[in-house]
Amino acid sequence: MERLPSWLRQHLAALRAVVVLTVLLGVIYPLVTTGVAQALFNGKANGSIVQAGGKDVGSAIIGQKFTDKDGNPVKKYFQSRPSAAGDGYDPTSTSASNLGPDDIVDGPNGGQSLLTQVCARSKAIGELAGVSGARPYCTPDGVGAVLKVFPDHAVSVNQACPATPFVATYEGLKVECGKPGEDYAAGRTVPVRGEAGTPAVPADAVTASGSGLDPHISPAYAELQAPRVARERGIALDKVKQLIEANTTGRTFGFMGEPAVNVLELNLSLDKA
Amino acid sequence: MSTPVLEAPGKAPAPKRNGRVGGGLLDPKQLLTSLPDAVKKLNPVTLWRNPVMFIVEIGAVFTTVLAVLEPSFFAWAIVVWLWLTVVFANLAEAVAEGRGKAQAATLRAAKRDTTARRLKSRTSQEWDVVGAPELKQGDFVVVEAGEIIPGDGDVVEGIASVDESAITGESAPVIRESGGDRSAVTGGTKVLSDRIVVEITQKPGESFIDRMIALVEGANRQKTPNEIALNILLAALTIIFLVATATMQPLAIYSKSINLGVPDSLALNANGVTGVVLVSLLVCLIPTTIGALLSAIGIAGMDRLVQRNVLAMSGRAVEAAGDVSTLLLDKTGTITLGNRQASEFVPVAGVTEQELAEAAQLSSLADETPEGRSIVVFAKQHYGLRERQIHGAEWVQFTAQTRMSGVNLGDRQVRKGAATAVMKWARDQGGHPTDEVGHLVDGISGSGGTPLVVAEKGRVLGVIHLKDVVKQGMRERFDEMRRMGIRTVMITGDNPLTAKAIADEAGVDDFLAEATPEDKLTLIRKEQEGGRLVAMTGDGTNDAPALAQADVGVAMNTGTSAAKEAGNMVDLDSNPTKLIEIVEIGKQLLITRGALTTFSIANDIAKYFAIIPAMFAAVYPGLDALNIMRLASPQSAVLSAVVFNAIVIIALIPLALRGVRYRPSSASKLLSRNLYIYGLGGIVAPFLGIKIIDLFIQFLPGMS
Amino acid sequence: MSTTAAGMIFIVSLIVALGLVHKPLGDYMYRVYTTTRHNVVERGVYRLLGVRADAEQSWGVYARSLLAFSVISILVVYGMQRLQDKLPLSLGMKPVTDHIAWNTAISFVTNTNWQAYSGESTMGYLVQMSALAVQNFVSAAVGMAVAIALVRGFARRKADTIGNFWVDLVRGSLRILLPIAFVGALVLVAGGLIQNLSGLHEVTTLTGGTQGITGGPVASQEAIKELGTNGGGFYNANSAHPFENTTNWTNWLEVFLLLVIPFALPRTFGKLVGQVKQGYAILAVMGVIALTSVLLTNVFELGGNATVPQAVGAAMEGKEVRFGVSDSATFAASTTLTSTGAVNSFHDSFTPFGGMMTMFNMMLGEVAPGGVGSGLYGMLILAVITVFVAGLMVGRTPEYLGKKIGAREIKLASLYFLVTPVLVLIGTAFAMGSAEQRASMLNSGPHGLSEVLYAFTSASNNNGSAFAGITVNTPWYDVALGLCMVFGRFLPIVLALALAGSLARQAPVPAGAGTLPTHRPQFVGMVVGVTIILVALTFLPALALGPIAEGLS
């Protein structure tokens, strides 16, 4: 060892160090942690699996979608937030949408901008809940209210022809519908806020979460869905609200995080009720 | 040194004005006269030494080419101001050097081609005539009244009065004699009387005057450690901004390409930001202000020392002066006036003060020593005893054997002198001095004074208290030093008791008593071991090792050549107190650099706010919100920033030459003050400056 | 309680908690790095390594040991990924593609933990826990070792050595990171994080669909991922994933863990140089910048100022309900202020200025408080540069902690702070200059530019978070970002160690009234100013064309 050139000695020591530390930190540490965790917190360490009718139906802390095979909401269940994980709530493909806050112009070939997605979700959820799905910057037909302004005309770029533009004129310019495939890049982008006030559909209902597995919805969104679920299930609204309450976690110590309703647990307790 | 010619007597800056270091003044005419030199310095071969300005010059060349290819008023305006930026920077350096050159010219006048009478050997009487430049080390020359000393050397034989005004500006002749600490003579000075033999100590062409000329001309000016470090930082900043501007281009092209509807502008087109604007941004961002003034600051720092008749052998020494944390000061001449003076008459019981004063005065009338004179003066001032002419007096001179002096006037015999000697004399005369005298003597010794016992016949009258008189204002200065974080150590040959008393009175932090040259060296080494930088003055040959060891060793011009050789500064006035000023000048030099660096960097904020919206507001109208100065148009914004950037260099030349105002105080206070002025000021000033310039140039053609 | 009020209390509670552990943890780390005693395990480790634990190293040997260790680490991590199908616990995953394997190996060894892959679909458990998580420990320990070595440079007097790399590495891993990570992991499991070695568990959901519930040794990796400011998630969704960050209080704990060592190291620094006040000054600089940044990020996110957040009514895109907007913003700021890069919400969907803050935090050079160790040494370099400018202004050759900042020192410090901006800007410029690389952008317009700028900022500063929309698992990005990570990590480290060596050789200058005091608010303010003006303003042109242009539109 001492007779080897110093650079080689160093690398040999380095190799031994990597091996030794891998054994200590990469084998012993995780295995001991696993052992202790399994002994002390077995349920949680294994993913907080919940059962219905003796069968595992999911994890209490992983959201799932409550839609039928065609992707339509199953109305008797509270619906989760939109998800960008795979086809929705796929734990093997977790993801956020990663769309930017000013992603407001749909792609020329029909790719939806984040704004249009929000508007469309809002409209659909509004219809499902029987409230207005109107939001600022959204057209009544549920796309982003965005104009491309040219010197002599303007285009409601997200409203593909033959749709009627959400406004007829903009600053004296005639507003046209967007011709599919046409490149409007040269125009000045102007989102139009519109008249909509505070939306009836809550924020979390129209946005995808970070993980795509958000097990929660806001109490407001649960509140919005409660009448529908009660109606579908033929149970009293108060009962539903009670269950919402029971499945709501508040802020820990009163200040950490936000109040949240666990959708899977809520739906399970509805099924049990 | 050059002061006698350059500046009329009395015009030379007072060493201290309102408690701060004064500076050289800038004559606006100098700007004009230095202009040709400034233009010459555009030569890239010399300019590349200053990387910041070199980059600006490359930018100027580049934009000139662009302007020729695609002329517009805007482009040419930028070109002109970029060139001006470089010229202004060169001007700063040229002005600083110009002052040195003028001084060098007067020195050269002193360095006439003299001939020398070279002796065959030291003791030989034979000599031959050779030209001064041919003299070598170890040659002996003989110089007589009226002749110019042909080279630097030491007097080995004889004594003469020498006129050194050519280098010191001091018209009073000085005495030079063989042996001791007044043996050094300088080439170019003139012997006024007598004849001396001088051993030449210089190498040919390396005389003191040669070196002075080189120094003030800045010919072999080497960058000082701090200057090198600062240059590195500036180079790094330049690289960073170079990268920042260059890499902006693909981003700009992309931004332009995704905003198809936006027409091309003078600032931005499909190929990205236009060359002219890109160079403008770069020049505005890199630290041109400090880059332009850095060498001028250094030259001016040396110059300020020269104005105080101090020659620094290197810029490094000037910087080190700023870092000094321990000052070794010789007691005599620096802290005290140099002579003991009577300060009190203490009579023994049964004798009045008046009686003692009269006897003391009488005994001293013929005593021409400074101590003796001070007794007469003290008696006059405090006891109203006039000097008198006495006839028939027999004066008894002081001798090393008797260790007393006095007078015999008829049968009246008065003596004064060392206690033991006078007491013995009194006893021999049949007197019986009481123990009281002993107590008085001990008391005075204990307080650091020197007791002189006065006795008449067999009767001891009392004791004269002689004491070292501390120069006025020293305590305040030492307090000031302490606030600056500098420890003062008094060096004296006195015994510890005396030394302590004077140290206490003067307010120095520490003292070294009964100091031998070896002690000094040891003390310096000890301080340096603790990481402190030490400054000291010295003149004797035996000071040479300590001078060499000290970080700042100021040799007195009157001192030996060994001392001058060992030190790294020479004080032509031979005023040891000047050490304190040297320290202040060193600090001022560093502060000026730091302050202008801070100012330069702080300026960038405003320039970003001027240029970024100017470049990109066309593609992203929202960015106009960054145009917080509300500049008239993109063109005028860019041009205003460039103009400001150039003008600020000219505006700061006087400051660079004069140095930032320095008031001795703690580091913390200094920093606060300078931060407010140059940091905060550096942030605010360009906002105002650019706005004001914009208000004017927006009316120029092509600005909208 | 309003969202804003709860969010503010969340921040205050973190400050209080960090304040409480500052002294004990800082003092503990001081003892770890100064004691001369080796415990039984360590003695065994040193024997296996064949190193003499009591022999001190010069900076050159220290640096070479560190580089040797890192090179071998990269090779081992690369090899394990490439051979994962031959290794146990692979879950049937295929070998990782070569360019992703290289990128990932570098990413974890450099403490960046940039992930060009999706954890749940790429890495088996053995690679996760025995390759990646091991680097979570040791890369953090390397960072701390460099910081301690630099501090030794300040503290020592006429010394030729700056410590022993192997000892610093082993002690940092085993005495500091391991115990905290172990306790942290168990607490996280109690909060709901999983810790098992089971494979995918298929379940039939309530509406008859199938869902594969993943497993894995997550908590043990999560704890060290935050504690070591690594940030590489077990899953693609990182700390937004309920299995990585189950509840609003595990969220608090994860933020706390990622901040705790960087904020305690200034104490260790103060103790090592024998002036705790100096440590407080550094802490204050970090604290001021960090708090300002956290608050601004909160302001921007809660303000929700951009078209989509306005339409939505809150900046909820990419955020989890249980965390809410404010705690997500605080997490985002904390993860980018440190070199963590873990995310509990997706920065790409942040408001323009909120997203800009996360970028800006990294552009500051990750010094407030920065990664474990790297934050401290980065901040000390900035302090050195500040001292240089400020020191001149008090009329002396600049000194920091008694050590003169001369030409050599300033050269090393200048090179240090050149490295990352140059990497970020040149990398971004290359990517933006090529249509092919621009195609990786998910978003268009200035936001797309932000994605690229973010990627290079994150890689060069060893953060690892992303504007995750960008597709970076292409060979070009894997190689380019890999190079940024390597240079962004090891060039500064070598420069910092060289500086340590140069400082250690000096005899300190005693402090006096003429010395620039470096423990007063005045100095703290200056360091903050230098950090912002000198470091961050460099990026202003780029930021203007990205998030600022977007935010002001």
Side-chain angles (χ1 to χ4, degrees), chain B residues 51-66:
Chain B
V52 178
M53 294 323 295
F54 187 58
I55 294 274
V56 179
E57 186 170 44
I58 293 175
V61 171
F62 180 60
T63 46
T64 308
V65 173
L66 290 179

Side-chain angles (χ1 to χ4, degrees), chain A:
Chain A
M1 185 82 188
E2 292 297 327
R3 263 173 297 154
L4 294 174
S6 74
W7 68 269
L8 195 61
R9 241 191 1 248
Q10 252 157 9
H11 283 78
L12 275 177
L15 182 60
R16 290 159 186 236
V18 173
V19 171
V20 170
L21 290 170
T22 300
V23 171
L24 288 173
L25 304 168
V27 178
I28 297 177
Y29 160 70
L31 292 185
V32 169
T33 310
T34 309
V36 176
Q38 290 287 337
L40 293 179
F41 312 103
N42 187 281
K44 284 175 170 168
N46 288 317
S48 309
I49 301 296
V50 285
Q51 295 188 321
K55 282 197 303 178
D56 294 351
V57 292
S59 161
I61 55 175
I62 299 284
Q64 44 181 260
K65 51 183 176 180
F66 300 94
T67 53
D68 59 24
K69 287 194 179 62
D70 305 324
N72 297 314
V74 174
K75 291 185 183 173
K76 66 170 182 169
Y77 285 126
F78 280 87
Q79 296 297 310
S80 303
R81 299 177 63 189
S83 162
D87 299 331
Y89 289 94
D90 180 358
T92 62
S93 180
T94 60
S95 177
S97 77
N98 285 314
L99 292 170
D102 285 290
D103 184 34
I104 56 177
V105 179
D106 293 353
N109 304 313
Q112 280 190 335
S113 66
L114 180 56
L115 180 61
T116 293
Q117 290 181 30
V118 165
C119 295
R121 288 166 185 159
S122 188
K123 182 162 177 288
I125 291 166
E127 280 163 7
L128 198 62
V131 297
S132 159
R135 308 192 89 81
Y137 298 107
C138 288
T139 64
D141 54 351
V143 298
V146 181
L147 299 178
K148 277 286 187 182
V149 180
F150 296 88
D152 53 346
H153 70 292
V155 179
S156 173
V157 74
N158 294 338
Q159 289 182 294
C161 292
T164 317
F166 62 95
V167 281
T169 59
Y170 173 75
E171 286 176 353
L173 299 172
K174 183 171 179 304
V175 176
E176 302 165 355
C177 59
K179 298 187 192 82
E182 180 113 356
D183 186 4
Y184 293 114
R188 185 161 57 89
T189 309
V190 179
V192 180
R193 193 178 197 287
E195 301 295 313
T198 312
V201 180
D204 60 307
V206 295
T207 50
S209 65
S211 59
L213 302 179
D214 197 343
H216 298 110
I217 55 176
S218 65
Y221 187 29
E223 193 87 5
L224 183 76
Q225 301 189 58
R228 181 195 80 226
V229 172
R231 199 170 54 243
E232 290 290 323
R233 289 180 174 261
I235 56 173
L237 181 60
D238 279 351
K239 176 69 184 161
V240 176
K241 286 193 173 174
Q242 250 174 27
L243 288 174
I244 293 176
E245 185 89 2
N247 287 292
T248 303
T249 30
R251 296 185 175 117
T252 306
F253 303 127
F255 65 85
M256 290 178 185
E258 292 288 329
V261 182
N262 188 305
V263 189
L264 176 60
E265 303 246 43
L266 173 59
N267 285 335
L268 278 173
S269 49
L270 277 167
D271 280 353
K272 274 186 214 144

Side-chain angles (χ1 to χ4, degrees), chain C residues 159-229:
Chain C
D160 290 323
T161 58
I162 55 169
N164 182 311
F165 170 71
W166 304 111
V167 173
D168 291 343
L169 172 75
V170 169
R171 286 188 183 173
S173 305
L174 300 187
R175 290 203 203 181
I176 297 170
L177 298 170
L178 184 58
I180 306 178
F182 181 67
V183 174
L186 291 179
V187 176
L188 288 173
V189 176
L193 274 73
I194 60 169
Q195 179 72 23
N196 59 55
L197 295 171
S198 333
L200 196 67
H201 177 41
E202 293 267 349
V203 297
T204 307
T205 63
L206 281 189
T207 53
T210 53
Q211 193 178 31
I213 306 293
T214 49
V218 176
S220 59
Q221 190 162 336
E222 189 72 18
I224 186 60
K225 161 188 131 183
E226 313 295 358
L227 183 67
T229 62

Side-chain angles (χ1 to χ4, degrees), chain B residues 198-217:
Chain B
V198 175
E199 180 181 359
I200 298 296
T201 54
Q202 65 163 86
K203 288 186 189 133
E206 285 181 24
S207 75
F208 194 58
I209 283 197
D210 288 327
R211 275 188 293 164
M212 277 169 74
I213 291 171
L215 278 169
V216 295
E217 276 193 327

Side-chain angles (χ1 to χ4, degrees), chain B residues 225-226 228-230 232-233 236-237 239-241 243-244 246-248 250-252 254-255 257-258 281 285 319 322-325 482-486 528-533 586-588 590-595 597-598 601-602 604-605 608-609 612 615-616 619-626 662 665-675 678 683, chain C residues 157-158 385 388-399 404-408 410-412 414-415 417-419 421-423 425-430 432-434 438 441 443-449 453 507-510 512-517 520 522-523 525-526 533-546 548-550 552-553:
Chain B
N226 277 311
I228 293 170
L230 187 51
I232 292 171
L233 182 69
L237 287 175
I239 293 172
I240 256 200
F241 288 120
V243 170
T247 55
M248 193 179 66
L251 278 59
Y254 166 77
S255 303
S257 73
I258 56 170
L281 175 66
L285 291 183
E319 250 175 28
D323 284 345
V324 159
S325 43
R482 203 166 298 118
R483 280 198 299 278
M484 288 158 64
I486 295 172
Q528 287 172 334
E529 184 62 22
R532 298 183 187 85
L533 265 61
K587 284 194 178 295
Q588 197 189 28
L590 295 176
I591 293 174
T592 308
R593 281 199 201 126
T597 306
T598 308
I601 295 170
D604 276 4
I605 299 177
Y608 272 120
F609 278 100
I612 286 183
M615 289 189 298
F616 300 129
V619 277
Y620 296 121
L623 288 180
D624 196 47
L626 295 181
Y662 173 67
S665 57
S666 73
S668 190
K669 275 195 202 137
L670 263 179
L671 180 61
S672 291
R673 200 186 106 90
N674 290 325
L675 258 188
Y678 299 98
I683 294 175
Chain C
R157 171 191 175 86
K158 290 191 168 173
I385 288 176
F388 183 73
V389 177
L392 286 176
M393 274 200 288
V394 302
R396 277 168 75 112
T397 296
E399 297 150 15
K404 285 212 157 75
I405 308 303
R408 181 176 161 78
I410 207 72
K411 189 196 296 165
L412 294 168
S414 296
L415 284 173
F417 91 99
L418 267 177
V419 172
V422 167
L423 289 174
L425 292 170
I426 291 185
T428 307
F430 265 105
M432 292 309 295
S434 140
R438 282 203 302 271
M441 304 183 316
N443 287 274
S444 59
H447 197 80
L449 192 154
L453 180 61
V509 183
T515 317
L516 171 78
R520 304 241 177 98
Q522 179 190 47
F523 182 74
M526 263 204 93
I533 296 181
L534 228 51
V535 184
L537 280 191
T538 316
F539 297 100
L540 201 58
L543 287 174
L545 292 173
I548 298 178
E550 190 185 359
L552 290 177
S553 67

Side-chain angles (χ1 to χ4, degrees), chain B residues 343-427:
Chain B
S343 66
E344 198 183 4
F345 295 138
V346 191
V348 296
V351 179
T352 63
E353 280 188 43
Q354 197 70 26
E355 207 176 334
L356 172 61
E358 194 269 344
Q361 187 225 27
L362 184 62
S363 69
S364 305
L365 282 171
D367 186 348
E368 284 302 319
T369 63
E371 288 85 359
R373 296 303 308 156
S374 82
I375 294 170
V376 175
V377 170
F378 189 76
K380 182 180 173 187
Q381 282 172 349
H382 292 82
Y383 299 91
L385 297 175
R386 305 244 306 265
E387 276 190 62
R388 41 197 164 148
Q389 289 294 321
I390 295 179
H391 301 283
E394 178 196 336
W395 304 106
V396 179
Q397 295 297 329
F398 178 90
T399 68
Q401 283 77 40
T402 61
R403 289 162 64 214
M404 58 185 180
S405 64
V407 65
N408 295 337
L409 192 62
D411 49 350
R412 198 172 172 201
Q413 295 182 4
V414 185
R415 294 288 183 278
K416 68 166 202 298
T420 45
V422 176
M423 303 271 269
K424 181 173 179 294
W425 177 78
R427 266 186 230 107

